[in-house]
């Protein structure tokens, strides 16, 4: 199976890079799966988990909030406003943030907390 090179970058750091067989992300047009030799694309990311199936058979999951995704020449760039690897997420803190956002009727904060919890759960 052919591989693609992936760079997952947040505004403040390089989150993950490596070789992958498949990347699934949520765009404004819906969920998209990208494999080697995909047609070039440029899309706007929505908050959601990004799942990376690594070339060595592993899985990397990240909570991504906003940004862009770009693919050309078997190179995928995920340029996020905020991105956290699943293992970096403090689940207790995310659950507290979810409850607080619900009580304050903050839909944006609620969505970010839900995405963080989904990414953390997907890694387990």
């Amino acid at each position: 199976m052919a591989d693609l090179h992936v760079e997952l970058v947040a505004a403040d750091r390089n989150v993950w890079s490596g070789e992958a067989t498949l990347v699934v992300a949520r765009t404004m047009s819906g969920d998209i799966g990208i494999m080697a030799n995909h047609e070039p694309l440029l899309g706007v990311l929505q908050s959601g988990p990004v799942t990376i199936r690594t070339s060595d058979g592993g899985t990397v999951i990240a909570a991504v909030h906003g940004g862009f995704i770009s693919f050309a020449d078997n190179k995928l760039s995920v340029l996020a406003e905020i991105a956290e690897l699943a293992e970096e997420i403090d689940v207790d803190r995310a659950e507290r943030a979810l409850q607080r956002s619900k009580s304050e009727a903050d839909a944006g904060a609620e969505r970010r907390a839900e995405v963080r919890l989904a990414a953390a759960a997907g890694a387990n």
Side-chain angles (χ1 to χ4, degrees):
M1 182 177 281
D3 295 338
L4 59 138
H5 183 75
V6 179
E7 294 285 336
L8 172 57
V9 180
D12 61 343
R13 67 189 176 118
N14 185 355
V15 179
W16 187 89
S17 67
E19 303 303 308
T21 58
L22 172 68
V23 177
V24 178
R26 180 161 294 154
T27 70
M28 297 297 281
S29 301
D31 288 353
I32 187 166
I34 300 167
M35 299 173 76
N37 303 315
H38 193 285
E39 290 292 316
L41 74 90
L42 178 62
V44 178
L45 290 169
Q46 280 194 328
S47 289
V50 170
T51 303
I52 302 167
R53 302 280 184 226
T54 63
S55 296
D56 62 6
T59 301
V60 174
I61 300 175
V64 172
H65 308 284
F68 298 90
I69 189 168
S70 172
F71 182 78
D73 300 321
N74 282 332
K75 294 181 182 111
L76 178 70
S77 298
V78 180
L79 309 168
E81 293 173 23
I82 301 168
E84 298 173 275
L85 294 174
E87 60 265 18
E88 299 172 339
I89 295 170
D90 180 336
V91 174
D92 291 335
R93 181 173 171 229
E95 287 173 345
R96 287 192 305 273
L98 178 60
Q99 293 308 314
R100 186 173 51 253
S101 65
K102 286 181 177 181
S103 68
E104 295 173 359
D106 184 342
E110 185 175 341
R111 177 70 184 146
R112 286 188 299 276
E114 289 171 346
V115 167
R116 293 177 76 222
L117 289 169
N124 294 326

